[in-house]
Amino acid sequence: MGLILMNITFTDQAIERLQRYELSSKKMLLDFDDGVGPFSAVGSCSLDGDYRLILVKEDLDTPDYNEKITSNLGAVFIKDHTAVQFDDEMEVRFNPRYFTMPLVSPKRVLTDNLEVLDLSNTDLNSQIGRAHDC
């Protein structure tokens, strides 16, 4: 596992919005849902991709998420092959008007709404090794 030279800053409003998830006891996975890995429902036949912040138990083995990026909330893990879908400096904001969490960089808006998916209280064994079919 390496440390990619990327950084994510969560704004104060985003941190306030995420407090209900008790992040200190969870592992954060910044996911570009490309059909790869146990948390993907997209399937390899789709051309769509979504950005998600997936929260899992801190001690859960997540071998697909093999690269670590820094953030002001602690380590965030990504799949190494999706690094090209992210930018070196990113920010997660909270938009109270639309109740969304944009993921942005100085170059672009990666998504207007970063989906937060808390799977920390879910039995993930049913997800591991799941195959997709067109």
Side-chain angles (χ1 to χ4, degrees):
M1 181 177 314
L3 176 65
I4 293 183
L5 296 177
M6 288 182 191
N7 181 62
I8 301 173
T9 301
F10 292 85
T11 65
D12 290 342
Q13 284 184 313
I15 291 171
E16 185 177 325
R17 178 76 183 132
L18 292 170
Q19 281 179 343
R20 65 183 175 175
Y21 295 106
E22 300 175 15
L23 296 178
S24 63
S25 64
K26 296 174 184 166
K27 183 188 294 187
M28 292 186 288
L29 311 174
L30 184 58
D31 184 57
F32 178 75
D33 188 3
D34 59 349
V36 176
F39 308 112
S40 179
V42 170
S44 59
C45 306
S46 175
L47 298 176
D48 295 333
D50 287 325
Y51 293 91
R52 306 178 300 173
L53 183 65
I54 301 173
L55 308 174
V56 297
K57 292 178 184 173
E58 194 169 28
D59 61 350
L60 183 69
D61 185 27
T62 53
D64 292 313
Y65 297 84
N66 53 356
E67 295 292 340
K68 182 170 33 172
I69 11 183
T70 60
S71 87
N72 57 331
L73 288 178
V76 178
F77 297 88
I78 66 169
K79 297 176 274 189
D80 62 354
H81 69 272
T82 63
V84 297
Q85 302 296 333
F86 300 104
D87 291 334
D88 292 341
E89 290 293 325
M90 296 174 285
E91 184 175 78
V92 176
R93 301 174 178 166
F94 176 65
N95 182 333
R97 181 176 185 178
Y98 298 109
F99 230 70
T100 58
M101 293 188 61
L103 174 63
V104 302
S105 79
K107 299 176 185 176
R108 62 190 172 131
V109 174
L110 286 86
T111 183
D112 290 322
N113 189 25
L114 180 65
E115 179 185 2
V116 179
L117 188 58
D118 187 355
L119 299 176
S120 61
N121 292 320
T122 304
D123 177 15
L124 297 177
N125 289 329
S126 62
Q127 298 287 320
I128 305 302
R130 188 175 86 189
H132 298 285
D133 190 7
C134 297

